[in-house]
Amino acid sequence: MVLLDGPPAPSRENLVYRGWPVELFVQTEAVWHGFADQETAKRNSPLLAMCAEGMLLVDTDGLGASLQDEARKRWAAGPPPLSDRERDHQRYVLTDLLDDLRGCTDPAERAYLVSHMLQRASELALQVGGHWLGGGKWLSRRLAAADPGVHRALSEAAGRALAAGETKDFSAAVIRVLDLAGGPLWDGYAIP
């Protein structure tokens, strides 16, 4: 994170410095706040995580320390909770996908279903627990830190479902997540 008063901020650049990959996120204070607010609303803030957990290298005017302190407070406070409508929609989607998986006989379709369900179930488990989301490896890491048992059940069963087509344990792990959110939901679900 590089903070400037103006141009070339905001910008982003990737480069290799002394053999190390470096991502430069060049921002002004106002842009930083805007990104933090947008990402917080999405319950996934790489910016807040990076600033809260990262090392401050140079800070000539105290702005870096101030934003790092704010990032740490906002990160510790967690993301906004799911509304009942959001939670129920996610319950419905996962329940519907479970039904698709039960009737799936095509290995390619099963791979896509399991992959999609793994992501959706992981996100729901994090959200109902009040934890930040993540993408890719960060989704796995955040769930492993928040609920190691659910993480293990989902990831191990997903591996077996993908490799051997054994979906019973994976379905049970997804239902475990659904139960954390209020249970499966399909019959009677409506969008007003």
Short mmCIF file of all heavy atoms in Angstrom, two decimals, residues 9 14 23 48 51 54 70 81-82 85 92 95 99 119 132 150 164 177-179 183:
data_model
loop_
_atom_site.label_atom_id
_atom_site.label_comp_id
_atom_site.label_asym_id
_atom_site.label_seq_id
_atom_site.Cartn_x
_atom_site.Cartn_y
_atom_site.Cartn_z
N ALA A 9 -1.75 8.37 -7.93
CA ALA A 9 -2.81 7.70 -7.18
C ALA A 9 -4.17 8.17 -7.69
O ALA A 9 -4.32 9.36 -8.00
CB ALA A 9 -2.68 8.00 -5.69
N ASN A 14 1.97 -4.14 -10.86
CA ASN A 14 2.66 -5.36 -10.45
C ASN A 14 4.04 -5.35 -11.07
O ASN A 14 4.21 -5.01 -12.24
CB ASN A 14 1.91 -6.60 -10.93
CG ASN A 14 0.55 -6.74 -10.27
OD1 ASN A 14 0.24 -6.09 -9.29
ND2 ASN A 14 -0.27 -7.61 -10.82
N GLU A 23 3.08 -6.16 -5.53
CA GLU A 23 1.87 -5.50 -6.01
C GLU A 23 1.80 -4.14 -5.32
O GLU A 23 1.79 -4.07 -4.09
CB GLU A 23 0.62 -6.31 -5.63
CG GLU A 23 0.50 -7.63 -6.37
CD GLU A 23 -0.75 -8.36 -5.93
OE1 GLU A 23 -0.73 -8.97 -4.85
OE2 GLU A 23 -1.76 -8.32 -6.69
N LEU A 48 -8.48 -4.05 3.97
CA LEU A 48 -8.41 -3.97 5.43
C LEU A 48 -7.50 -5.06 6.00
O LEU A 48 -6.73 -4.81 6.92
CB LEU A 48 -9.81 -4.08 6.05
CG LEU A 48 -10.72 -2.89 5.87
CD1 LEU A 48 -12.09 -3.15 6.50
CD2 LEU A 48 -10.12 -1.62 6.43
N CYS A 51 -3.82 -4.04 5.36
CA CYS A 51 -3.39 -2.93 6.20
C CYS A 51 -3.38 -3.30 7.69
O CYS A 51 -2.52 -2.84 8.43
CB CYS A 51 -4.28 -1.72 5.96
SG CYS A 51 -4.05 -1.00 4.31
N GLY A 54 -0.47 -6.16 7.88
CA GLY A 54 0.80 -5.87 7.23
C GLY A 54 1.75 -5.06 8.10
O GLY A 54 1.39 -4.57 9.18
N GLU A 70 -7.04 2.23 12.04
CA GLU A 70 -8.44 2.14 11.60
C GLU A 70 -8.72 0.78 10.97
O GLU A 70 -9.76 0.16 11.24
CB GLU A 70 -8.76 3.25 10.60
CG GLU A 70 -10.20 3.21 10.13
CD GLU A 70 -10.57 4.31 9.15
OE1 GLU A 70 -9.84 5.31 9.05
OE2 GLU A 70 -11.62 4.17 8.50
N PRO A 81 -23.48 -8.05 9.34
CA PRO A 81 -24.18 -9.34 9.37
C PRO A 81 -25.08 -9.52 8.16
O PRO A 81 -25.50 -8.55 7.53
CB PRO A 81 -25.00 -9.26 10.66
CG PRO A 81 -25.18 -7.81 10.91
CD PRO A 81 -23.96 -7.12 10.36
N LEU A 82 -25.38 -10.78 7.87
CA LEU A 82 -26.34 -11.08 6.81
C LEU A 82 -27.73 -10.66 7.25
O LEU A 82 -28.10 -10.83 8.41
CB LEU A 82 -26.39 -12.59 6.56
CG LEU A 82 -25.28 -13.25 5.77
CD1 LEU A 82 -25.51 -14.76 5.74
CD2 LEU A 82 -25.21 -12.72 4.37
N ARG A 85 -33.11 -11.97 4.75
CA ARG A 85 -33.39 -12.23 3.33
C ARG A 85 -32.14 -12.79 2.62
O ARG A 85 -32.25 -13.74 1.84
CB ARG A 85 -33.84 -10.93 2.66
CG ARG A 85 -34.22 -11.10 1.23
CD ARG A 85 -34.72 -9.81 0.65
NE ARG A 85 -35.08 -10.01 -0.74
CZ ARG A 85 -35.82 -9.19 -1.43
NH1 ARG A 85 -36.31 -8.11 -0.86
NH2 ARG A 85 -36.09 -9.43 -2.69
N TYR A 92 -31.55 -21.25 0.31
CA TYR A 92 -32.30 -21.77 -0.83
C TYR A 92 -31.37 -22.23 -1.94
O TYR A 92 -31.52 -23.33 -2.48
CB TYR A 92 -33.27 -20.71 -1.35
CG TYR A 92 -33.72 -21.01 -2.76
CD1 TYR A 92 -34.63 -22.03 -3.01
CD2 TYR A 92 -33.17 -20.32 -3.84
CE1 TYR A 92 -35.00 -22.34 -4.30
CE2 TYR A 92 -33.54 -20.62 -5.13
CZ TYR A 92 -34.45 -21.63 -5.36
OH TYR A 92 -34.81 -21.95 -6.65
N THR A 95 -29.58 -25.44 -0.97
CA THR A 95 -30.53 -26.55 -0.94
C THR A 95 -30.86 -27.00 -2.36
O THR A 95 -30.92 -28.20 -2.64
CB THR A 95 -31.82 -26.14 -0.19
OG1 THR A 95 -31.47 -25.70 1.13
CG2 THR A 95 -32.79 -27.30 -0.10
N ASP A 99 -30.03 -30.68 -4.32
CA ASP A 99 -30.96 -31.47 -5.10
C ASP A 99 -30.37 -31.81 -6.46
O ASP A 99 -30.49 -32.94 -6.94
CB ASP A 99 -32.29 -30.73 -5.24
CG ASP A 99 -33.35 -31.58 -5.92
OD1 ASP A 99 -33.59 -32.72 -5.44
OD2 ASP A 99 -33.93 -31.11 -6.92
N GLN A 119 -17.65 -23.52 -2.56
CA GLN A 119 -17.49 -22.08 -2.37
C GLN A 119 -18.70 -21.49 -1.65
O GLN A 119 -18.56 -20.74 -0.69
CB GLN A 119 -17.27 -21.37 -3.70
CG GLN A 119 -17.12 -19.86 -3.52
CD GLN A 119 -16.69 -19.15 -4.78
OE1 GLN A 119 -16.17 -19.75 -5.70
NE2 GLN A 119 -16.91 -17.85 -4.80
N TRP A 132 -15.10 -12.56 8.02
CA TRP A 132 -14.80 -11.99 6.70
C TRP A 132 -14.70 -13.10 5.66
O TRP A 132 -14.21 -14.19 5.95
CB TRP A 132 -13.48 -11.23 6.73
CG TRP A 132 -13.55 -9.97 7.53
CD1 TRP A 132 -13.14 -9.79 8.82
CD2 TRP A 132 -14.05 -8.71 7.09
NE1 TRP A 132 -13.35 -8.49 9.20
CE2 TRP A 132 -13.91 -7.80 8.17
CE3 TRP A 132 -14.59 -8.25 5.90
CZ2 TRP A 132 -14.30 -6.47 8.09
CZ3 TRP A 132 -14.98 -6.92 5.82
CH2 TRP A 132 -14.83 -6.04 6.90
N VAL A 150 -15.68 -27.51 10.23
CA VAL A 150 -16.46 -27.34 9.01
C VAL A 150 -15.54 -27.30 7.80
O VAL A 150 -15.82 -27.91 6.77
CB VAL A 150 -17.35 -26.08 9.09
CG1 VAL A 150 -17.93 -25.72 7.72
CG2 VAL A 150 -18.47 -26.28 10.09
N ALA A 164 -13.65 -39.49 -6.62
CA ALA A 164 -14.27 -40.81 -6.71
C ALA A 164 -15.77 -40.77 -6.97
O ALA A 164 -16.40 -41.81 -7.07
CB ALA A 164 -13.99 -41.58 -5.41
N VAL A 177 -23.55 -27.11 7.21
CA VAL A 177 -23.47 -25.65 7.06
C VAL A 177 -24.87 -25.06 7.01
O VAL A 177 -25.16 -24.04 7.65
CB VAL A 177 -22.65 -25.26 5.82
CG1 VAL A 177 -22.76 -23.76 5.54
CG2 VAL A 177 -21.20 -25.68 5.98
N LEU A 178 -25.75 -25.68 6.25
CA LEU A 178 -27.13 -25.19 6.18
C LEU A 178 -27.77 -25.16 7.57
O LEU A 178 -28.49 -24.21 7.89
CB LEU A 178 -27.96 -26.05 5.23
CG LEU A 178 -27.73 -25.80 3.75
CD1 LEU A 178 -28.34 -26.91 2.91
CD2 LEU A 178 -28.29 -24.46 3.34
N ASP A 179 -27.49 -26.17 8.38
CA ASP A 179 -28.05 -26.19 9.73
C ASP A 179 -27.55 -25.02 10.57
O ASP A 179 -28.28 -24.49 11.41
CB ASP A 179 -27.74 -27.52 10.42
CG ASP A 179 -28.58 -28.67 9.86
OD1 ASP A 179 -29.60 -28.41 9.20
OD2 ASP A 179 -28.18 -29.84 10.07
N GLY A 183 -31.02 -24.28 8.52
CA GLY A 183 -31.47 -25.51 7.87
C GLY A 183 -31.72 -25.33 6.38
O GLY A 183 -31.75 -24.22 5.87
#
